[in-house]
Amino acid sequence: MNFHWFHLMPYRFLPPDFSQRYRSVWVDVPAELFDAARCHELYNEFLDELEFADRMGFDGICVNEHHQNAYGLMPSPNLMAAALARRTTNAALVVLGNSLALYNPPIRVAEEFAMLDCLSGGRLVAGFPVGTSMDTNFAYGMPPATLRERYYEAHDLIVQAWTRPEVFSFNGKYTQLRYVNIWPRPLQQPHPPIWIPGGGSVETWEWTTQRNYLYCYLSYFGYKRARAVMDGYWQTVERLGGDMNPYRAGFLQLVCVAGSMEEARRDYGEHIAYFYDKCLHVWNGWADAPGYRTLRTLQAGITAQVGAQARAVRQHLTWDDYVEQGYIVAGSPAQVRERLREVIEGLRIGQVMVLCQIGSMPKDLTLRNIELFTTEVIPHLRGIWREHQDHWSPQPLAQRVPPQLTGTRP
């Protein structure tokens, strides 16, 4: 059983009345609300937290890509992964990921991921998200009608750039290159493990299964609502003759560990409220551009996680509601262990991604959440799925070059 620490890097200084005064946390969030000096503090705080998660024994530390928003201050997750490559030791660097269709030419992703793989000694997980409608269609102006076609073409180019040893030409619909010959090349062969984060697209289930990639369901509605999506995924795997190995599936869950449920409510309640009220406050016009989601996904009844409909579902929820409905797993270590076992076995997942820094949560509380989770929860759940072999995690070098401080100061 693998546990990964996921960081969104949210801006935690939005005003208390943000969701009443401003239209959206994404795309057109006013620049007047941004304080660069505070962002400097946040970046260093966030990196401290990720490095601590590595030292405490998480299997992976996760970063991702978003644009023009206060929900997550990470337009370039590769920059964060590069900083972490020199300051972490064992955890996989799970970049979930680079939105392929936004890179022109896409071999930039192949090159930067190869750099990260070599720099880290083979600890990279290469995440290939399509990207949210807010990021792709509005912040970066990508027409929704061509988004997925561009994505698939970019994927093919990147994988070929990693695996074809000769100089070759690529003549795609959206990218034409006379010479493709990336240097450096990835350390892991034939390439780093590819994980596909998604929000429930039917086509993504089929595509990841056919290529034997890992599927990550990233949902903020929690594990109870995730059951229908993951059941659909596993039915697709079975139909296509894929291996029913739990390690090929991942799920994101918000987790708050404390001495008791009452203590968890007291310490984490305001930060959960900040996350759902402010960080997910997305104007409906940005949430789901026409053509972004496919017809088959719409017919399957899978709805957007942000926007008016999602906001209506969450409206007026209390801490007890969030816990009861599965949005968050919270309470004492024993309560969290019991609930997480239910999540893992019920969804059949071998890769759990936990959000232990949520919304406005300060560093000291985040570190305590990490420590309690790694010392009081993980050891009790590690043995789940021991009968299965993990084929989707990095294979780093056994002997890696550690950072060394050389020279003396005068």
Side-chain angles (χ1 to χ4, degrees), residues 129 137 153 234 365:
N137 305 139
E153 181 180 292
W234 286 116
L365 183 57

Side-chain angles (χ1 to χ4, degrees), residues 10-16 18 33-35 37-42 45-46 70 73 274 278-279 359-360:
Y11 190 75
R12 71 163 183 257
F13 302 111
L14 296 174
F18 173 79
L33 299 180
F34 179 74
D35 185 324
R38 281 181 158 176
C39 187
H40 162 72
E41 297 173 4
L42 286 175
E45 178 181 304
F46 295 155
L73 301 170
Y274 182 101
K278 297 179 176 62
C279 294
S360 55

Side-chain angles (χ1 to χ4, degrees), residues 222-254:
Y223 66 93
K224 290 187 177 181
R225 288 181 173 83
R227 186 63 182 265
V229 171
M230 293 308 298
D231 283 351
Y233 167 71
W234 286 116
Q235 289 165 13
T236 300
V237 172
E238 186 174 30
R239 174 171 56 83
L240 295 177
D243 183 356
M244 297 295 285
N245 189 328
Y247 284 106
R248 72 182 305 136
F251 179 67
L252 175 70
Q253 180 64 56
L254 280 68

Side-chain angles (χ1 to χ4, degrees), residues 184-195:
R185 305 182 74 83
L187 189 153
Q188 297 181 81
Q189 292 297 315
H191 53 72
I194 295 174
W195 292 15

Side-chain angles (χ1 to χ4, degrees), residues 6 149 222 250 325 337:
F6 201 111
E149 190 176 44
Q325 296 182 27
R337 292 195 299 262

Side-chain angles (χ1 to χ4, degrees), residues 24 91 112 121 129 147 153 205 222 279 324-325 365 384 402:
S24 182
E112 292 191 4
L147 177 64
E153 181 180 292
W205 300 340
C279 294
E324 174 62 28
Q325 296 182 27
L365 183 57
I384 302 176

Side-chain angles (χ1 to χ4, degrees), residues 246-405:
Y247 284 106
R248 72 182 305 136
F251 179 67
L252 175 70
Q253 180 64 56
L254 280 68
V255 175
C256 301
V257 192
S260 65
M261 183 63 77
E262 185 53 42
E263 183 180 313
R265 178 189 291 107
R266 183 196 69 206
D267 292 347
Y268 297 107
E270 65 180 288
H271 309 298
I272 294 294
Y274 182 101
F275 177 74
Y276 281 109
D277 180 55
K278 297 179 176 62
C279 294
L280 297 184
H281 176 62
V282 177
W283 179 54
N284 202 52
W286 305 136
D288 196 8
Y292 170 74
R293 285 187 297 141
T294 65
L295 181 60
R296 289 180 63 195
T297 299
L298 291 170
Q299 290 172 336
I302 299 171
T303 59
Q305 296 191 56
V306 293
Q309 185 174 354
R311 191 162 54 248
V313 172
R314 295 191 303 266
Q315 196 170 18
H316 306 308
L317 292 183
T318 65
W319 167 271
D320 291 338
D321 295 327
Y322 284 125
V323 172
E324 174 62 28
Q325 296 182 27
Y327 284 79
I328 59 175
V329 169
S332 69
Q335 290 173 310
V336 171
R337 292 195 299 262
E338 179 183 2
R339 192 63 65 220
L340 264 186
R341 181 177 290 274
E342 178 184 335
V343 174
I344 291 165
E345 295 177 346
L347 301 183
R348 194 178 175 81
I349 50 172
Q351 318 280 354
V352 172
M353 284 151 280
V354 294
L355 276 184
C356 290
Q357 194 287 334
I358 303 163
S360 55
M361 196 180 294
K363 180 179 176 181
D364 59 343
L365 183 57
T366 300
L367 297 183
R368 182 157 65 89
N369 201 15
I370 293 172
E371 185 168 10
L372 284 170
F373 189 84
T374 52
T375 59
E376 303 293 335
V377 177
I378 288 180
H380 298 266
L381 304 175
R382 180 66 81 182
I384 302 176
W385 311 128
R386 63 165 56 93
E387 68 274 21
H388 295 276
Q389 188 173 355
D390 178 10
H391 304 292
W392 292 270
S393 291
Q395 299 297 320
L397 290 172
Q399 298 295 325
R400 299 189 294 276
V401 178
Q404 296 181 5
L405 183 64

Side-chain angles (χ1 to χ4, degrees), residues 50-353:
L50 284 156
E51 291 164 13
F52 183 67
D54 167 67
R55 293 196 300 274
M56 292 302 295
F58 273 94
D59 298 288
I61 47 179
C62 311
V63 291
N64 63 356
E65 175 180 336
H66 292 296
H67 303 280
Q68 296 181 193
N69 71 99
Y71 154 91
L73 301 170
M74 235 184 315
S76 177
N78 296 357
L79 287 178
M80 291 301 172
L84 291 165
R86 288 274 292 175
R87 295 288 300 271
T88 59
T89 305
N90 296 311
L93 301 179
V94 185
V95 183
L96 283 178
N98 286 184
S99 300
L100 302 188
L102 304 186
Y103 290 80
N104 184 21
I107 54 169
R108 182 77 180 191
V109 175
E111 292 172 324
E112 292 191 4
F113 272 172
M115 288 179 67
L116 287 169
D117 201 37
C118 290
L119 179 62
S120 67
R123 289 189 287 137
L124 177 72
V125 168
F128 290 170
V130 172
T132 71
S133 187
M134 298 84 75
D135 292 314
T136 58
N137 305 139
F138 296 105
Y140 266 47
M142 184 65 62
T146 64
L147 177 64
R148 279 175 170 76
E149 190 176 44
R150 289 175 183 269
Y151 171 89
Y152 293 135
E153 181 180 292
H155 161 273
D156 293 347
L157 172 55
I158 292 165
V159 172
Q160 288 184 46
W162 282 341
T163 57
R164 294 180 62 172
E166 78 283 2
V167 181
F168 66 93
S169 300
F170 188 85
N171 189 30
K173 180 176 180 179
Y174 301 101
T175 300
Q176 300 83 39
L177 295 170
R178 177 65 184 87
Y179 304 103
V180 180
N181 181 35
I182 66 164
W183 276 65
R185 305 182 74 83
L187 189 153
Q188 297 181 81
Q189 292 297 315
H191 53 72
I194 295 174
W195 292 15
I196 309 297
S201 170
V202 174
E203 289 82 0
T204 301
W205 300 340
E206 296 174 344
W207 192 74
T208 55
T209 302
Q210 290 163 350
R211 285 158 182 78
N212 203 31
Y213 294 161
L214 187 147
Y215 174 70
C216 305
Y217 182 39
L218 305 184
S219 171
Y220 301 125
F221 282 92
Y223 66 93
K224 290 187 177 181
R225 288 181 173 83
R227 186 63 182 265
V229 171
M230 293 308 298
D231 283 351
Y233 167 71
W234 286 116
Q235 289 165 13
T236 300
V237 172
E238 186 174 30
R239 174 171 56 83
L240 295 177
D243 183 356
M244 297 295 285
N245 189 328
Y247 284 106
R248 72 182 305 136
F251 179 67
L252 175 70
Q253 180 64 56
L254 280 68
V255 175
C256 301
V257 192
S260 65
M261 183 63 77
E262 185 53 42
E263 183 180 313
R265 178 189 291 107
R266 183 196 69 206
D267 292 347
Y268 297 107
E270 65 180 288
H271 309 298
I272 294 294
Y274 182 101
F275 177 74
Y276 281 109
D277 180 55
K278 297 179 176 62
C279 294
L280 297 184
H281 176 62
V282 177
W283 179 54
N284 202 52
W286 305 136
D288 196 8
Y292 170 74
R293 285 187 297 141
T294 65
L295 181 60
R296 289 180 63 195
T297 299
L298 291 170
Q299 290 172 336
I302 299 171
T303 59
Q305 296 191 56
V306 293
Q309 185 174 354
R311 191 162 54 248
V313 172
R314 295 191 303 266
Q315 196 170 18
H316 306 308
L317 292 183
T318 65
W319 167 271
D320 291 338
D321 295 327
Y322 284 125
V323 172
E324 174 62 28
Q325 296 182 27
Y327 284 79
I328 59 175
V329 169
S332 69
Q335 290 173 310
V336 171
R337 292 195 299 262
E338 179 183 2
R339 192 63 65 220
L340 264 186
R341 181 177 290 274
E342 178 184 335
V343 174
I344 291 165
E345 295 177 346
L347 301 183
R348 194 178 175 81
I349 50 172
Q351 318 280 354
V352 172
M353 284 151 280

